[in-house]
Amino acid sequence: MTLGDGHRDETQKEIADLALANARRTLRRRLLRKQLLGNDELFGEPAWDMLIDLFIHEGEAKPVSTSSLGIASGLGMSSALRLVQRLCEAELLVRTSDPADGRRNFIRLAPEVAHRLTAYFAAGEE
């Protein structure tokens, strides 16, 4: 470890904390927009909602099951599962089995996507 390593780790944590706070703020604003205006069909962006939800949960070190992610999208479950599958096939998301329960899967952001979302949210609010 060199003298500068501690500062770099601290700076990376500050960036990650800022990105997480901005992502939370973005999600709150999106939910408020839906509540105020209604009509999810006109204002919904399920894939983006899923990515924001995953980003926040990963920032909080909380696993997200496939079904929970489907609920966060605002879609019906079968449509949400199809969207998750397409996002996995596009290598934006990674599906892993739950070692404690073989019937359940967890979904994570692909590492490159997580890195890009950190940069996006660290740059400011949506």
Side-chain angles (χ1 to χ4, degrees), residues 9-92:
D9 290 343
E10 186 176 309
T11 300
Q12 288 175 333
K13 181 169 177 2
E14 289 172 2
I15 290 170
D17 289 347
L18 174 63
L20 183 58
N22 284 337
R24 285 180 180 137
R25 192 173 302 112
T26 297
L27 184 62
R28 277 193 306 271
R29 293 183 105 158
R30 291 174 68 81
L31 292 173
L32 180 60
R33 179 185 74 189
K34 286 179 183 180
Q35 290 171 349
L36 290 173
L37 302 175
N39 204 341
D40 290 347
E41 300 82 34
L42 295 176
F43 295 103
E45 300 174 70
W48 186 233
D49 289 338
M50 285 180 174
L51 294 175
I52 294 171
D53 189 58
L54 278 172
F55 181 81
I56 292 170
H57 279 84
E58 287 186 21
E60 296 171 343
K62 296 178 182 174
V64 178
S65 69
T66 306
S67 58
S68 294
L69 185 59
I71 292 167
S73 73
L75 294 172
M77 191 52 68
S78 62
S79 295
L81 293 174
R82 282 192 300 273
L83 180 55
V84 168
Q85 182 60 38
R86 288 196 315 266
L87 292 170
C88 288
E89 289 169 358
E91 299 181 354
L92 298 174

